[in-house]
Amino acid sequence: MKLTEPQIQDLYAFTRQHFVEHYDLQTEPVDHLANDIETQWQNQPKLSFEEAKNKAFKKFGVCGFMDAIEQRAKAMNKRYRRYLWNELKNWFALPQIFATLSLFLGFYLAFSTFYTPILALVFYGIIIIWAIYKGIQLNRQFRRRKEISNKKWMLEEIIFRQSGVTSMVFMSQLYNVYRIPEGFITNIYFIVGLSLAFTAFVIISYISFEVLPSKAEKLLNETYPEFCL
Amino acid sequence: MSNSKLYKGSLTTIILKLLNEHDKMYGYEITQKVKALTKGELKITEGALYPALHKLEAEGLLDVEVAKVDNRLRKYYKLTETGTKETVNKLEELAEYIKTMQALVNPKLA
């Protein structure tokens, strides 16, 4: 005896009730539970769907699907960092390296003036405002995508909702930008370091807020063979 | 994972070995295969199998394929080139471990 389409949908709902929110993570337990239920029916054809489902779920142990979710989240975050790193490498190869160098030079020249603390705050403010605006825009985009497809993919959520995490590391340094000691603004090593940090901040923010979300379809297709099914 | 904690450290090797012998396998199939091969002596729990499969996939040792079977999607796992090489290493490590244990618990046979 095989499971019907409504029973399969019931299994999807069951996994959601057990905190498996992402469609890419639901597929596997749904198939596993379905196989187990069908095997149980071979020996006990009169067993109800609900009873067989609960028996099958018990085999996942006390933690249920949690260990699998945790492992998957680690794997997807690793994958996201790999995509980010691959894009970052492009900025140090031709032709983007010219943009990277120009950006660095621009910051260096600006910070070499007497207005380093003010300019650092102004640049910092501009980038933060842009990052917040993009964050809100991407979050809306993510909600719209979910409404249309009725599915949520783990990598998709990382791309659209956690894109600011890397930038947050820089954002948390506001106090240090605000309180640049006076003696530092004439120190060439400090100016070079500050320019490098700002260049990295701009490039990483641009990749995570602009480049990766624009490549979302390609990356999701590459990650999930079932994405186009 | 099983009726004995002794098998716990070998889960990865068991998965790799099975996939080395089959072109591709899905989660439930792996649990049933192990159960059949060991005549029910070793039962891989679902709660241990899937995290292990996801970890191996993230490490690049496994590749996935998804197909529609009956009225649902099924995720198949297969070894990558790196996975095939790693299987050889893992099996050698396991053989070495068995040999060492044999020498410890039954010196006459070693």
Side-chain angles (χ1 to χ4, degrees), chain B residues 59-109:
Chain B
E59 285 169 359
L61 302 181
L62 302 184
D63 213 351
V64 289
E65 230 177 73
V66 176
K68 192 151 188 169
V69 179
D70 297 328
N71 45 11
R72 56 187 183 256
L73 293 177
R74 181 163 292 163
K75 196 170 168 183
Y76 288 96
Y77 292 91
K78 54 184 183 179
L79 286 178
T80 59
E81 211 173 299
T82 325
T84 312
K85 283 178 198 159
E86 187 60 17
T87 308
V88 178
N89 295 338
K90 288 274 180 198
L91 286 172
E92 278 172 7
E93 270 175 33
L94 187 63
E96 200 59 40
Y97 169 77
I98 294 168
K99 216 169 113 185
T100 311
M101 287 307 287
Q102 191 77 265
L104 278 171
V105 297
N106 201 347
K108 284 178 195 167
L109 288 173

Side-chain angles (χ1 to χ4, degrees), chain A residues 29-211:
Chain A
V30 164
D31 183 46
H32 192 103
L33 292 170
N35 280 314
D36 200 306
I37 294 167
E38 285 168 359
T39 310
Q40 287 183 59
W41 279 345
Q42 280 172 14
N43 305 320
Q44 297 167 272
K46 285 184 181 165
L47 197 68
S48 76
F49 171 70
E50 284 300 317
E51 277 174 305
K53 179 175 81 180
N54 289 328
K55 271 174 98 175
F57 179 59
K58 274 186 187 159
K59 294 176 191 169
F60 276 82
V62 190
C63 299
F65 306 126
M66 295 318 281
D67 287 341
I69 298 174
E70 203 180 301
Q71 198 57 54
R72 194 72 180 158
K74 272 189 206 165
M76 279 303 141
N77 277 303
K78 196 175 162 188
R79 190 178 272 263
Y80 178 77
R81 284 197 299 274
R82 200 175 70 223
Y83 288 140
L84 192 76
W85 176 242
N86 285 342
E87 288 296 334
L88 189 64
K89 277 195 291 186
N90 290 339
W91 287 79
F92 294 93
L94 284 167
Q96 277 118 309
I97 192 155
F98 291 118
T100 311
L101 287 173
S102 309
L103 207 57
F104 170 75
L105 214 64
F107 280 126
Y108 181 78
L109 290 174
F111 293 144
S112 299
T113 61
F114 287 112
Y115 309 106
T116 313
I118 298 164
L119 284 174
L121 261 181
V122 169
F123 290 143
Y124 194 82
I126 293 171
I127 302 165
I128 299 283
I129 290 167
W130 177 78
I132 293 170
Y133 166 74
K134 283 303 290 183
I136 296 169
Q137 199 184 41
L138 288 175
N139 203 29
R140 272 192 203 145
Q141 222 174 311
F142 177 72
R143 280 208 304 265
R144 265 202 307 273
R145 288 172 69 99
K146 205 191 149 222
E147 274 166 22
I148 295 167
S149 68
N150 207 21
K151 286 172 191 160
K152 191 162 90 172
W153 306 79
M154 194 177 260
L155 183 67
E156 184 186 34
E157 187 160 30
I158 297 173
I159 292 173
F160 286 89
R161 280 193 157 162
Q162 294 178 31
S163 46
V165 173
T166 328
S167 299
M168 288 290 279
V169 179
F170 288 92
M171 288 184 198
S172 62
Q173 299 305 312
L174 176 67
Y175 182 76
N176 295 329
V177 174
Y178 182 67
R179 305 271 307 203
I180 296 174
E182 238 175 67
F184 278 36
I185 53 175
T186 48
N187 185 325
I188 188 158
Y189 296 112
F190 175 75
I191 302 296
V192 169
L194 192 66
S195 309
L196 278 174
F198 267 86
T199 307
F201 184 21
V202 169
I203 294 174
I204 291 173
S205 299
Y206 182 72
I207 293 171
S208 48
F209 285 112
E210 196 69 49
V211 180

Side-chain angles (χ1 to χ4, degrees), chain B residues 7-81:
Chain B
Y7 294 112
K8 208 173 176 181
S10 310
L11 178 59
T12 304
T13 316
I14 295 168
I15 295 171
L16 292 174
K17 170 74 177 154
L18 281 175
L19 290 171
N20 197 32
E21 287 169 356
H22 300 83
D23 178 37
K24 56 182 184 182
M25 290 179 96
Y26 56 97
Y28 187 76
E29 190 183 12
I30 294 174
T31 60
Q32 296 309 295
K33 193 79 189 169
V34 171
K35 205 169 142 186
L37 285 171
T38 61
K39 297 187 176 67
E41 180 63 27
L42 177 58
K43 286 175 194 145
I44 296 181
T45 61
E46 290 73 354
L49 174 71
Y50 290 105
L53 285 169
H54 296 163
K55 192 165 180 273
L56 289 169
E57 187 196 340
E59 285 169 359
L61 302 181
L62 302 184
D63 213 351
V64 289
E65 230 177 73
V66 176
K68 192 151 188 169
V69 179
D70 297 328
N71 45 11
R72 56 187 183 256
L73 293 177
R74 181 163 292 163
K75 196 170 168 183
Y76 288 96
Y77 292 91
K78 54 184 183 179
L79 286 178
T80 59
E81 211 173 299

Side-chain angles (χ1 to χ4, degrees), chain A residues 10 12-20 53:
Chain A
D10 182 286
Y12 272 105
F14 182 77
T15 57
R16 277 195 296 273
Q17 279 163 20
H18 288 85
F19 314 107
V20 189
K53 179 175 81 180

